[in-house]
């Protein structure tokens, strides 16, 4: 697949609830100082996309973007 | 655009009486008929109820609505609540950003998925000890007081570094603070006692914070000593950490167990193979089905806001009903059915949404998963000791729904 979706997260918006890490642990983690989101896969694997989309939809502070 | 009715005589009074295991029947009517339903509060003020899942999430994610309960028009749900929020320094859940974010950032690291996962052995050991205690006590016994109220209290006490011997004191004050049926003076007095205790705790730990490997010790070292957090600001923050996970988790455990025992086929599935996946599904269904926080997430419009097809005027209160949102048939097929084997685990709003979404949710989930995994393995003959009609449930004035006792036998 040539056109992979790019995953990004806004640490300024993130409130560290950890929903993304729970729902898509292969794609996200949290840094240890303030628990902010860290993206592990800039271009998630096809197998991980469902989980990433669920994390995007469930992020309480809408800090996650999956797009072109 | 349609706005709030000018007169409120005919508006229904909030909160509504509720059956023990479902939200008030009026809520599902509102959910079907209108996205916003005007209601009247104890003091005659009016507020909007929000019951649809998508609307509840949108509301809680919208910074044009304020969480500051001392703001004019904020829908405080009882006189006790109103007096409390006008007399106390607020904790971060009663602030808006950027103030809220400044304080929340100081403790988020204590509740990251990784940090909480590392606590699993401690939580599991506590679960085993409490099951031992239940089994060693009278049969039938009260699961709520022996297990549900104890587990979250013991775990958070260890994390914060407060003596376990003070747990009964916390439990009593925390329960009073969230009980809207009490006389206002008692609610305010419970808050005062809790904060006086925390003042003493802080003074003691400030004498040598480096010797304490706990949240309070780290707050003192990393935030109070460098001057990011004042003594006065630390008090409501520590109080919040003590009480936020107390009754919420306890009631989620007891109501969750109640549903499991009512649905023997679900309990049988869990008992046959209590693996992590099936336990996780069962716990998420318990959280969704009961969504225990029934009166905590009110907001007030900071400006005129077009919302859900109406115009919410500046200073109007708005109350998202998490429990009804988690019964929205547009989101959850057969929402009133308790089904631990739902084909998809659709995320719910039992922990709220937006910047105030529960900070302790990984901990609550860990406690519930550890509890039900071991209950299934160790208490295969567990059953209710009384008919559901004889269980003492909390009422609509309680911030968290739940029980006051859960008699079980094994």
């Amino acid at each position: 697949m040539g056109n992979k979706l790019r995953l990004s997260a806004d640490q300024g918006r993130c409130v560290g609830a950890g929903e993304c890490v729970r729902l898509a642990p292969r794609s996200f983690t949290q840094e240890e100082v303030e628990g902010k989101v860290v993206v592990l896969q800039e271009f998630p694997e096809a197998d991980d996309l469902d989980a990433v989309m669920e994390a995007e939809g469930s992020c309480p502070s809408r800090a996650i973007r999956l797009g072109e | 655009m349609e706005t709030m009715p000018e007169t409120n005589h005919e508006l229904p009074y909030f909160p509504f009486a509720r059956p023990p295991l479902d939200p008030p029947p009026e809520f599902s009517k509102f959910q079907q008929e209108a996205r916003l339903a005007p209601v009247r509060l104890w003091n005659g003020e009016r507020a909007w109820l929000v019951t649809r899942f998508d609307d509840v999430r949108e509301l809680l994610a919208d910074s044009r609505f304020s969480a500051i309960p001392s703001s004019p028009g904020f829908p405080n749900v009882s006189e006790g609540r109103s007096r409390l929020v006008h007399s106390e320094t607020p904790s971060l859940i009663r602030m808006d950003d950027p103030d809220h974010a400044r304080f929340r950032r100081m403790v988020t690291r204590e509740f990251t998925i990784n940090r909480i996962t590392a606590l699993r052995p401690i939580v599991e050991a506590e679960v085993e000890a409490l099951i031992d205690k239940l089994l060693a006590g009278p049969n039938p016994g009260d699961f709520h007081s022996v297990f549900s109220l104890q587990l979250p209290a013991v775990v958070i006490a260890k994390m914060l570094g407060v003596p376990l011997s003070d747990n009964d004191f916390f439990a009593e004050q925390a329960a009073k603070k969230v009980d809207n049926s009490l006389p206002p003076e008692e609610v305010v007095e419970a808050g005062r006692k809790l904060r006086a205790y925390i003042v003493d705790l802080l003074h003691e730990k400030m004498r040598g914070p480096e010797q304490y490997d706990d949240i309070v010790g780290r707050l003192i070292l990393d935030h109070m000593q460098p001057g990011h957090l004042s003594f006065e600001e630390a008090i409501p923050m520590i109080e919040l950490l003590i009480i936020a996970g107390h009754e919420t988790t306890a009631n989620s455990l007891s109501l969750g167990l109640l549903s499991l025992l009512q649905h023997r086929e679900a309990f049988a599935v869990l008992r046959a193979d209590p693996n992590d996946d099936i336990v996780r599904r069962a716990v998420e269904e318990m959280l969704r089905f009961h969504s225990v926080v029934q009166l905590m997430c009110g907001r007030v419009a900071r400006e005129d806001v077009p919302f859900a097809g109406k115009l919410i005027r500046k200073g109007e209160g708005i109350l998202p009903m998490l429990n009804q949102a988690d019964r929205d048939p547009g989101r959850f097929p057969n929402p009133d059915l308790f089904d631990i084997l739902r084909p998809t685990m659709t995320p719910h709003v039992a922990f709220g949404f937006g910047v105030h979404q529960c900070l302790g949710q990984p901990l609550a989930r860990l406690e519930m998963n550890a509890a039900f995994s071991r209950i299934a393995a160790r208490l295969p003959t567990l059953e209710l000791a009384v008919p559901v009609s004889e269980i003492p449930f909390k009422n609509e004035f309680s911030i968290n729904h739940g029980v006051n006792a859960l008699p079980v036998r094994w």
Side-chain angles (χ1 to χ4, degrees):
Chain A
M1 286 233 302
N3 260 347
K4 277 193 162 183
L5 294 172
R6 185 195 190 98
L7 176 60
S8 61
D10 182 346
Q11 287 202 344
R13 295 183 68 94
C14 176
V15 293
E19 281 286 84
C20 54
V21 185
R22 183 175 72 86
L23 293 167
R26 296 209 301 201
S27 306
F28 301 96
T29 188
Q30 287 167 283
E31 50 84 4
E32 287 176 13
V33 180
E34 295 182 349
K36 300 274 191 185
V37 58
V38 176
V39 170
L40 295 175
Q41 298 174 305
E42 192 181 355
F43 298 98
E45 300 298 322
D47 286 352
D48 296 324
L49 276 180
D50 282 349
V52 169
M53 283 190 271
E54 191 163 313
E56 182 189 29
S58 297
C59 172
S61 58
R62 305 207 158 137
I64 295 166
R65 285 278 173 280
L66 181 67
E68 299 294 320
Chain B
M1 207 173 293
E2 202 180 338
T3 57
M4 178 69 89
E6 289 300 325
T7 58
N8 61 6
H9 302 298
E10 63 285 358
L11 292 183
Y13 175 75
F14 180 88
F16 296 80
R18 58 169 294 169
L21 299 173
D22 296 298
E26 290 86 350
F27 287 8
S28 83
K29 201 167 146 277
F30 294 151
Q31 194 173 55
Q32 286 163 35
E33 292 174 0
R35 295 170 69 189
L36 290 162
V39 294
R40 183 166 49 106
L41 304 178
W42 61 279
N43 55 2
E45 288 194 19
R46 293 163 296 172
W48 298 101
L49 285 199
V50 184
T51 50
R52 292 189 191 173
F53 186 90
D54 290 342
D55 291 339
V56 164
R57 287 217 305 200
E58 195 182 326
L59 167 69
L60 293 174
D62 192 329
S63 60
R64 293 173 297 177
F65 293 103
S66 170
I68 300 174
S70 54
S71 310
F74 188 94
N76 288 300
V77 292
S78 70
E79 186 181 359
R81 201 76 218 148
S82 178
R83 282 211 211 165
L84 192 70
V85 302
H86 284 95
S87 63
E88 283 189 344
T89 315
S91 73
L92 62 96
I93 55 168
R94 300 195 219 137
M95 296 176 186
D96 295 336
D97 283 344
D99 299 330
H100 155 266
R102 184 187 139 220
F103 291 113
R104 178 165 172 140
R105 272 202 297 270
M106 295 178 191
V107 280
T108 39
R109 65 172 175 181
E110 305 286 353
F111 296 91
T112 62
I113 303 278
N114 283 342
R115 284 289 277 279
I116 296 301
T117 304
L119 294 177
R120 186 162 180 157
I122 293 173
V123 173
E124 284 176 340
E126 201 51 50
V127 165
E128 298 289 1
L130 290 173
I131 293 177
D132 291 343
K133 204 171 158 192
L134 182 74
L135 291 174
N139 184 4
D142 177 16
F143 185 83
H144 190 63
S145 63
V146 176
F147 190 95
S148 301
L149 284 170
Q150 297 302 318
L151 179 64
V154 170
V155 172
I156 197 66
K158 285 185 176 172
M159 290 173 72
L160 287 167
V162 299
L164 298 181
S165 54
D166 293 333
N167 269 345
D168 289 344
F169 167 81
F170 291 135
E172 190 188 336
Q173 309 315 323
K176 285 184 177 172
K177 268 196 97 165
V178 297
D179 186 348
N180 288 294
S181 64
L182 285 181
E185 300 73 28
E186 276 189 54
V187 177
V188 172
E189 177 62 10
R192 200 197 56 74
K193 281 186 183 165
L194 259 179
R195 292 190 172 197
Y197 177 91
I198 293 163
V199 167
D200 292 345
L201 178 78
L202 271 172
H203 278 307
E204 189 184 318
K205 296 213 180 218
M206 283 166 72
R207 285 205 286 271
E210 55 290 328
Q211 59 185 298
Y212 300 106
D213 180 22
D214 57 46
I215 294 178
V216 177
R218 284 189 287 277
L219 267 182
I220 295 169
L221 276 177
D222 298 344
H223 296 290
M224 291 176 73
Q225 288 187 349
H228 310 145
L229 179 70
S230 74
F231 188 89
E232 288 303 316
E233 290 168 339
I235 297 167
M237 194 152 164
I238 293 166
E239 182 195 44
L240 176 67
L241 295 177
I242 290 175
I243 66 176
H246 216 116
E247 276 237 322
T248 44
T249 310
N251 286 310
S252 299
L253 283 164
S254 285
L255 289 175
L257 180 65
L258 169 59
S259 286
L260 204 54
L261 298 183
Q262 278 187 301
H263 296 81
R264 302 303 298 187
E265 74 293 346
F267 194 32
V269 167
L270 212 56
R271 280 195 325 253
D273 178 17
N275 63 67
D276 286 355
D277 179 61
I278 187 69
V279 172
R280 198 170 70 237
R281 284 158 161 270
V283 165
E284 292 307 312
E285 179 65 353
M286 293 171 191
L287 288 165
R288 178 197 75 83
F289 187 81
H290 293 291
S291 270
V292 298
V293 179
Q294 59 183 2
L295 287 181
M296 196 59 202
C297 302
R299 297 288 187 266
V300 61
R302 288 143 57 109
E303 56 191 87
D304 289 357
V305 185
F307 179 83
K310 287 192 165 61
L311 181 69
I312 312 296
R313 290 207 188 101
K314 180 179 176 176
E316 284 182 354
I318 185 162
L319 291 156
M321 298 295 105
L322 304 180
N323 52 11
Q324 189 61 41
D326 279 337
R327 300 290 186 95
D328 187 336
R331 173 103 176 156
F332 307 99
N334 292 321
D336 297 326
L337 185 71
F338 178 82
D339 178 8
I340 67 168
L341 297 175
R342 286 182 178 268
T344 52
M345 274 209 301
T346 311
H348 49 73
V349 287
F351 293 108
F353 198 70
V355 298
H356 288 283
Q357 192 185 58
C358 179
L359 175 67
Q361 55 172 304
L363 180 59
R365 284 187 159 110
L366 170 61
E367 290 171 348
M368 289 183 70
N369 279 274
F372 286 104
S373 141
R374 297 311 296 156
I375 287 166
R378 291 190 61 193
L379 299 167
T381 60
L382 197 64
E383 61 183 15
L384 294 175
V386 297
V388 172
S389 59
E390 287 174 27
I391 294 171
F393 287 96
K394 294 181 188 298
N395 63 28
E396 65 273 21
F397 293 101
S398 177
I399 284 181
N400 306 306
H401 187 51
V403 297
N404 294 316
L406 187 66
V408 293
R409 71 163 78 87
W410 53 90

